[in-house]
Amino acid sequence: MATAGGGSVADPGCRSLLRLLSFCVLLAGLCRGNSVERKIYISLNKTAPCVRLLNATHQIGCQSSVSGDTGILHVVEKERDLQWVLTDGPNPPYVVLLEGELFTRNLMEKLKGTTSRIAGLAVSLAKPRPVSGSSPSVQCPNDGFGIYSNSYGPEFAHCREIPWNPLGDGLAYEDFSFPIFLLEDENETKVIKQCYRDHNLSPNGSAPTFPLCAMQLFSHMHAVISTVTCMRRSSIQSTFSINPEIVCDPLSDYNVWSMLKPINISGALEPDDRVVVAATRLDSRSFFWNVAPGAESAVASFVTQLAAAEALQKAPDALTLPRNVMFVFFQGETFDYIGSSRMVYDMEKGKFPVQLENIDSFVELGQVEALLSTLEKSGAGVPAVVLRRPNQSQPLPPSSLQRFLRARNISGVVLADHSAVFHNHYYQSIYDTAENINVSYPEWQSPEEDLNFVTDTAKALADVATVLGRALYQLAGGTNFSDTIQADPQTVTRLLYGFLVRANNSWFQSILRQDLRSYLGDGPLQHYIAVSSPTNTTYVVQYALANLTGQVVDLPREQCQDPSKVPSENKDLYEYAWVQGPLNSNETDRLPRCVRSTARLARALSPAFELRQWGSTEYSTWTESRWKDIRARIFLVASRELEFITLMVGFGILVFSLVVTYCINAKADVLFITPREPGAVSY
């Protein structure tokens, strides 16, 4: 008896084994792919990009191509090193690693003029910071959106008399066609420089040999031209597309506000109710996205106002003063007064409980690190604070008060540390940090000790807060307890530490809801308004204001979160927050509690977007472009010749594989014998 021939070639068991082996090989390839990528690329995880912003007329900022921009790395430590990038280097395009002190308008204009040889720019932080100052903002902030114009105060319009920010080079308001990243981590900067020294630095200025160290930057922006264009495109997409692709978003957030005496927010104040407004700004910016420390340009002033609010609330007759006091912390003032213009708009339209006619006077805190008759009297008992009247013919500095004056004639004053130009040499800069206002701590202290260490700066700002608190007390009609109003330096020092050094500290944790703890992050808070709101700063300021001026009430969690169930409580008068509270005596658990206050949020979105007037010259029109991917990495790149040879070899292998496959397929009936049916057996 003979068996059927050829059955072993197509054995089902063999086929199953082949499938299993193929799957294992594919899986191994996928796993190894990730490993290979990690061996080829070094990702830079602590960087900040320059992104694209737009307004009614143009675009500013930076972007890469869709697939990212790659260039040979070249370190520029002195301006003469730039010659290699601009003319001498044989392997363009280049990505320049620029020392922070060289990041100036003059040097950037040179790079901007040779974009064919520039693929991108990475900027390291200057340590120490530039001694002469650094401000990428303009010399006339918010020009055209204040009170002065060609028809009102033309001699003061466009900062003709005083260029408020003389060090401003306007770099943050330029448009660049290549990506620019900030290197925030010193260790990553060292790795990049080592890669450059190992592979790109050749002796005697000769051309280096391959492989060379290269950098790739991804920061492609979706929006172009102007806010008018990007908002129109987004609007069309939203109207006609099931899955709209939005290309830009308005800069927006929330203003924080509270009242000394609670008011019913479901209605409006009576016309004869008088309110004293104490205002300051919350936001700042720099050249790079979400890097806005704003120590002097924002933090010092809003910390001072928080301390003044706490001091005034403790006055024995605070709730019986003839006039009320409203504390306001405006968001988006850096971008043509977003927050203040929105509040004025809401007041005019009857959408805010306080109306413009209710405002008795307006006191604004500007940059206060370094009210006329009332302020001078209030400061008489505080020797550390010296108040001087500026020349009466002098214009108002950039301030939120200007937006209110555009709508109504209001008695107001701006309290600042400068009588003419800004004293802040790092206005809207990455270097406007704690160091800029002399906030420092002994090296041997723990973080908890730093939190409670009263610095000289905290003492000075507490003195300013005392003057402000007493002035507001007198403006509100108080006469009996002015001298008892005293700001707490401990409050000021905790606020400064939290906003400028380490937000994730025990005190900030105690004043926030548990679900907001992630907003504290690592390191200091940044004060850029952004497009997702409320931002970290907004929430922390709201809860700091609530805890400093509110009361702890005896309500359980359920009733605190829904006070409508409690007959004695009124949500139209107060806001209620269930916060984490301080640590217990064993420091193992927190003691949560309910805080009742008048601290609330009000929308800070420019009226231009509610009115769909994207080309407005009356209101801010700033938007931020959307993007898909922002990242940076370094790797070694081969020469063009080697890349070409590799390509040709790969192409050759592909052609050979196709030919072999064709031949095997053509001879398949010979190479692979079809098995006979199981019943076909010969005898």
Side-chain angles (χ1 to χ4, degrees), residues 139-162:
Q139 295 189 357
C140 190
N142 293 352
D143 185 23
F145 289 86
I147 189 175
Y148 303 113
S149 65
N150 292 331
S151 59
Y152 181 88
E155 68 275 20
F156 301 138
H158 312 299
C159 300
R160 289 192 179 102
E161 182 166 311
I162 301 176

Side-chain angles (χ1 to χ4, degrees), residues 281-293:
R281 66 170 57 189
L282 285 179
D283 67 305
S284 184
R285 70 164 301 201
S286 74
F287 185 89
F288 300 98
W289 182 75
N290 204 32
V291 181

Side-chain angles (χ1 to χ4, degrees), residues 118 216 249 354 361 400 413 594 602:
I118 302 297
Q216 191 172 31
D249 300 284
V354 178
S361 53
S400 306
V413 64
C594 185

Side-chain angles (χ1 to χ4, degrees), residues 309-626:
E310 179 191 35
L312 182 58
Q313 195 75 45
K314 292 178 179 178
D317 57 346
L319 299 181
T320 59
L321 293 172
R323 289 177 284 277
N324 209 339
V325 178
M326 180 170 76
F327 293 95
V328 189
F329 301 79
F330 289 118
Q331 264 287 11
E333 296 302 272
T334 298
F335 294 95
D336 300 336
Y337 305 119
I338 293 175
S340 56
S341 63
R342 178 55 185 260
M343 182 165 283
V344 170
Y345 175 82
D346 286 344
M347 287 179 171
E348 290 176 323
K349 301 298 180 182
K351 298 179 179 179
F352 194 77
V354 178
Q355 309 298 303
L356 285 171
E357 57 265 26
N358 296 126
I359 299 178
D360 181 79
S361 53
F362 195 107
V363 181
E364 180 171 355
L365 275 178
Q367 300 180 74
V368 294
E369 176 49 27
L371 297 158
L372 305 181
S373 58
T374 302
L375 277 171
E376 289 168 347
K377 292 176 183 177
S378 302
V382 186
V385 180
V386 178
L387 295 163
R388 296 188 180 94
R389 293 171 179 260
N391 189 326
Q392 290 189 356
S393 63
Q394 182 174 308
L396 279 172
S399 53
S400 306
L401 173 60
Q402 293 200 33
R403 290 302 303 190
F404 283 80
L405 292 174
R406 282 175 69 125
R408 186 180 180 87
N409 189 12
I410 297 172
S411 298
V413 64
V414 177
L415 179 64
D417 66 353
H418 54 90
S419 58
V421 300
F422 294 166
H423 288 171
N424 186 0
H425 291 174
Y426 304 94
Y427 181 72
Q428 293 181 6
S429 164
I430 56 177
Y431 302 109
D432 191 9
T433 59
E435 180 186 0
N436 194 33
I437 58 173
N438 300 314
V439 172
S440 60
Y441 304 90
E443 294 181 0
W444 60 85
Q445 289 188 169
S446 67
E448 193 66 22
E449 290 172 327
D450 287 346
L451 171 66
N452 296 292
F453 179 77
V454 179
T455 63
D456 291 340
T457 299
K459 295 175 184 176
L461 292 181
D463 287 339
V464 176
T466 297
V467 173
L468 176 61
R470 293 178 182 179
L472 294 173
Y473 178 80
Q474 293 175 22
L475 288 169
T479 57
N480 298 325
F481 300 99
S482 180
D483 291 343
T484 66
I485 295 175
Q486 188 75 40
D488 186 359
Q490 187 75 47
T491 295
V492 176
T493 207
R494 286 179 168 183
L495 289 167
L496 288 176
Y497 180 81
F499 285 111
L500 296 176
V501 181
R502 187 169 178 263
N504 196 9
N505 61 71
S506 60
W507 189 61
F508 272 12
Q509 291 171 13
S510 71
I511 66 175
L512 289 178
R513 299 196 316 253
Q514 186 174 8
D515 60 306
L516 298 179
R517 184 171 176 175
S518 61
Y519 278 68
L520 297 178
D522 297 321
L525 293 178
Q526 302 300 324
H527 311 295
Y528 172 64
I529 179 175
V531 296
S532 57
S533 55
T535 60
N536 308 33
T537 298
T538 301
Y539 266 136
V540 176
V541 168
Q542 180 195 9
Y543 279 82
L545 182 62
N547 281 266
L548 292 173
T549 62
Q551 292 180 313
V552 176
V553 292
D554 187 19
L555 292 177
R557 179 173 183 171
E558 293 74 17
Q559 292 182 348
C560 185
Q561 294 174 340
D562 186 10
S564 60
K565 299 178 180 178
V566 185
S568 60
E569 301 297 336
N570 190 335
K571 198 164 176 59
D572 288 335
L573 294 179
Y574 298 102
E575 283 286 305
Y576 298 80
W578 185 258
V579 301
Q580 294 188 95
L583 291 169
N584 60 16
S585 57
N586 296 327
E587 297 189 354
T588 55
D589 296 303
R590 292 195 171 274
L591 304 172
R593 55 191 184 180
C594 185
V595 175
R596 184 182 69 186
S597 73
T598 62
R600 295 183 171 92
L601 300 180
R603 199 77 173 97
L605 170 68
S606 172
F609 298 100
E610 185 164 310
L611 299 169
R612 296 177 68 86
Q613 296 175 359
W614 303 320
S616 173
T617 57
E618 171 69 17
Y619 299 112
S620 171
T621 56
W622 285 104
T623 55
E624 179 185 275
S625 173
R626 287 195 179 186

